[in-house]
Amino acid sequence: MKETISTKLSDYLSYPFLIPKINIDFNIGEDKVSVDTSMFIKAKSEQSSKLILNGFEIELLSVSIDGNELDSKEYNLSDQSLVINKPPISEFVLNIKSRINPFNNTSLEGLYLSSGMLATQCEAEGFRRICFHPDRPDVLSKYTVRIESDKNIYPILLSNGNKIYSGELKSNFDRHEIIWEDPFPKPSYLFALVAGKLNEVSDNYISNSGKSIDIKLYVEEGDQKYTKHAISSLKKAMRWDEEKYQLEYDLDEYKIVAVRHFNMGAMENKGLNIFNSKLVLADSKTSTDDELERIESVIAHEYFHNWTGNRITCRDWFQLSLKEGLTVFRDQSFTADLHNKGLKRIEDVSFLRNFQFAEDKGPTSHAVKPKEYIAIDNFYTTTIYEKGAELIRMLALLLGKDKFFRGIKLYIKTFDGTAATTEDFINSIIKGAYLDYKNCPFDVAKFLNWYYKSGTPKVYINQSWDSKNSILNVSFEQEIDSGKTNEDIEMIIPILYSCYSRKNEFKPIVEDKLFILDKNIKNLKINTKPGEKEAPVLSIFRGFSAPVVWECDLSIEDYLFLFLNDNDYFSRWDAGQFLMRTIIKSRICNKVNYSLEDRYINAIKKIIQSLVIKDPFFLAKLLEIPGLAELECLFEKVDPIKIYKGSLNFKVLIAKEIQQELRKISQYLLVNINHEWPKGKGERKLLGTIWSYLTLANDRNVQKICINSISHSSMTIARGALEALKPLDSHETEEASNLFFNLWKENPVVLDSWFAYEASRPSKKGIDVIENLLSHSKFDWKAPNAIRAVLGGFSKNIELFHSLDGKGYLFMADKLIEVDKINPITASRMVKIFSNWKTYVDKNKEGMYTSILKINNANISPNTREVVELILK
């Protein structure tokens, strides 16, 4: 077992050399690629320093400085690096000739083969698989790239920047060459190259200043018809960024390539985005409404990186959230502006609670700005992305819109073309907003604790009512629990609140006031209407104003009031979620509160009447059951099967009580939905939700409708029908699944959803189902999407994965060991499903522990070992 070496933030040193310009020549052969690199290098000081270049699985042919080839004694070569012992102090040109073999590269890092095309993925440390280079984000260079290949095998040759030249080789008419030049300095992780047989789909965008920008999407033959949505999404993002942030695109063309074999969702390489096919190829026939909106969001995310990530990048990987958190905030805001702010907020919070909060409680919990890592690939997490975005959102709320945008403007002006830190960003925002720290209304050092401390803060809220003076006194207490240590740390927690009179539920008597909790204990006095005798209902953390959990002394009557009346989307939804969690927990613990259940059902019936026409999407969200991760948090010892069954039984209860209302709505929606996306999105969402209730109520007619809907022209309807039948393990479920497979078996992007469905649905056939899926003729072991579909789906098959005999855990362990051999990044991310093993009841805990040990004892990659060791600690 190799010793694992951690990288620490405290050890950061600036790279001792500048590399302002790089020329790279790629000559693509039948089984190797020759790489000729010329780096223009200048030492930052006259003090002598070795030139350390990282390189992995590269065949070195020669090294020259200013045209003079070096003797092997003048450099040290290892399997991880090339070190020039005594480089010149003055400016010099370093030329390295080498060869690489992308055709046998299964890691999907560096340069690799995907469906006959060559593609790259260089973030975070993939460039060192292409050529010897510092391969760190604080080394920025201007790149000129020449690519040569057989024009029949690789007719399309792409790289970053603008095209300078292309043509056939005079010495060999079967080969051609192209030269790309990127005029903007960038770090190596943003380098990109694509070569292959691709079809170009072109469009054009005219910026607000009148600049014409060519848009080019490159896809495999037959996929051209699925690109309209991606192009439309890109244009919307370009316009939005100009109007919101006054940021215009800076190159002549914007290129996107769809790649089947890709570890990430997409990559923001300057001027040449490489996308997972699933996040480009889409229309309403092949993708659900949720998937279309996600594609729109991801297209925007990668485009927004042009300024927040590319033009300004991160100094080191500890600053990863500097680019990712800010850009997630930007893409979330973009989606909210295009669709519905309240509903988008609910979706983002639900995701955060079910995934990031769980991460914060587990052994892989880490700060938004971590202090050390072994494999940086393991830090592309919900903490870095989604929690990082929440910090930006809090900052925007604390500062207000105008001041926030003034700060963003100063940040871009100050750090354009450089590699910055989290502190650079915060300092710029505050300075741009207030000119001086002294004018800032909150303690910036306390706000920075959000970046430095892991864990989810918890806020305790208690109320007392002064009826004589009509004042509501509210006390707040904060603490942070990372699952590791309880620390006495003060955070800046913005709390948006309103108050409702119990006599007038339609309008708050105090609306959307901001309270800043900046001490461990702090009190608030809320002056209500004079003469108000009864304590008002407090609506707290409106819009989810801070990424915290809280305990409040609101009564069940208060939650029912808010569920029926609150005018804040999130707070109303959250009240309903609280009530559902309370009922489900009481049922699991055999302490059924029939009175609460009756009141909740009556409230649901009233909400159905008021929202079915007015806001069907919101009604669908209010009917959604809390996620299993949220329900698990309610128990000291987690029994996953018991919780799953308790949740399902609660849904059956509700379905039987409101089935008459739901049937009428279902019949109405079936004939009155507009299927031109995004129109009808709310109705389609509601119809799928209603079907999921009615099938559980054993409505045979609806089950037949679901089978007939599998071939519907809307994928949202088809998948909604499929999902509604999933819990049944019935003949109808089998028939629907077979129909779906036969319809989409030749479309690998859509078929991934079938693999996930089959792996996650209950089945009496047990593990054999999963084994058969992994050996299926349509399953592709090299495609991370396919692996995630089957193994990720299996992990959601609660009764099978968590079977008390431990076979589900052991099966998963075996498969992750196999995945790790070909794709460590995918394996290390998936092994986190074992993270919370200590929280489970003894039988499950023992089975998980045995399986984790099995992975730990195997010959696994540093990526996976880092995660496994954290889980075992």
Side-chain angles (χ1 to χ4, degrees), residues 327-356:
T327 306
V328 168
F329 169 74
R330 276 157 45 76
D331 80 56
Q332 289 176 347
S333 303
F334 165 75
T335 302
D337 284 350
L338 256 60
H339 299 283
N340 181 301
K341 285 182 170 64
L343 293 173
K344 174 60 177 167
R345 193 69 187 124
I346 289 171
E347 289 169 4
D348 292 339
V349 173
S350 181
F351 182 87
L352 194 80
R353 284 177 168 175
N354 279 284
F355 296 96
Q356 197 282 317

Side-chain angles (χ1 to χ4, degrees), residues 23 49 106 167 173 175 399 449 487 573 621 715 767 857:
N23 296 337
S49 176
T106 62
F173 294 131
R175 296 181 71 78
L399 298 179
N449 282 334
E487 297 182 85
W573 169 81
K621 297 303 293 183
M715 181 58 76
I767 295 290
N857 292 332

Side-chain angles (χ1 to χ4, degrees), residues 33 110 161 337 388 427 453 469 483 676 718 720 744 797 802 859 866:
V33 175
D337 284 350
N427 291 339
K453 302 297 178 183
N469 298 300
E676 186 182 345
W744 297 107
N797 193 328
H802 292 286
N859 182 22
E866 178 180 21

Side-chain angles (χ1 to χ4, degrees), residues 397 495-500 507-515 539-543 545 566-569 571:
L397 177 62
I495 302 173
L496 205 60
Y497 67 91
S498 291
C499 285
Y500 286 87
K507 185 172 173 57
I509 52 176
V510 176
E511 187 166 16
D512 286 339
K513 300 294 182 182
L514 182 63
F515 173 73
S539 173
I540 203 78
F541 284 106
R542 290 165 68 80
S545 56
D566 205 322
N567 66 0
D568 180 80
Y569 269 86
S571 294

Side-chain angles (χ1 to χ4, degrees), residues 220-234:
E220 293 180 50
E221 179 61 41
D223 290 335
Q224 297 94 315
K225 59 188 174 184
Y226 300 125
T227 60
K228 289 181 181 178
H229 179 67
I231 291 174
S232 173
S233 300
L234 176 59

Side-chain angles (χ1 to χ4, degrees), residues 12-19 41-47 49 88-90 136 138-140:
Y12 173 80
L13 292 172
S14 173
Y15 194 66
F17 297 89
L18 296 171
I19 309 178
I41 302 176
K42 184 178 181 181
K44 288 182 178 178
S45 70
E46 293 186 1
Q47 189 174 358
S49 176
I89 295 174
S90 58
R136 42 188 284 171
D138 58 349
V139 178
L140 279 67

